[in-house]
Amino acid sequence: MIRAIALCLALVASPAGAQQVQCGPVPYIMGALMGSYGEAVVDEHQDAALWQLWANAETGSWTLTATLGITTCIAAAGRGYAGQTVLDLIGGVAL
């Protein structure tokens, strides 16, 4: 549990010059993923955080989110979705 919280905090407190991590209220992030990218949840994993893998089968875009309380952070995103799971993307190790 502590490792999941630490990871979420690390996502928010990225150093200057690093890729900016986007966090926001759950409805805002969900709305952006569904509306702007046409993605839907294809897999979930629950530990201290709720990890969700969103994907669009037509475009191949995917987004990995981590939700803690009322805040969701985009942990990773990319193209070429081919059936990966949350555990594939976080290394198969529950945090």
Side-chain angles (χ1 to χ4, degrees):
M1 177 174 156
I2 292 173
R3 291 188 338 192
I5 293 169
L7 176 61
C8 288
L9 290 174
L11 291 173
V12 175
S14 60
Q19 184 177 0
Q20 199 69 342
V21 174
Q22 294 187 348
C23 297
V26 173
Y28 175 80
I29 300 294
M30 288 175 60
L33 294 175
M34 290 185 291
S36 298
Y37 297 97
E39 295 181 353
V41 175
V42 295
D43 190 41
E44 292 184 343
H45 176 74
Q46 177 76 51
D47 51 29
L50 172 62
W51 296 90
Q52 292 180 306
L53 179 58
W54 298 71
N56 180 322
E58 290 182 22
T59 66
S61 69
W62 60 267
T63 306
L64 178 65
T65 62
T67 299
L68 211 60
I70 61 170
T71 302
T72 296
C73 293
I74 296 175
R79 296 240 175 241
Y81 176 73
Q84 300 93 326
T85 67
V86 170
L87 292 179
D88 291 335
L89 296 174
I90 63 173
V93 177
L95 300 174

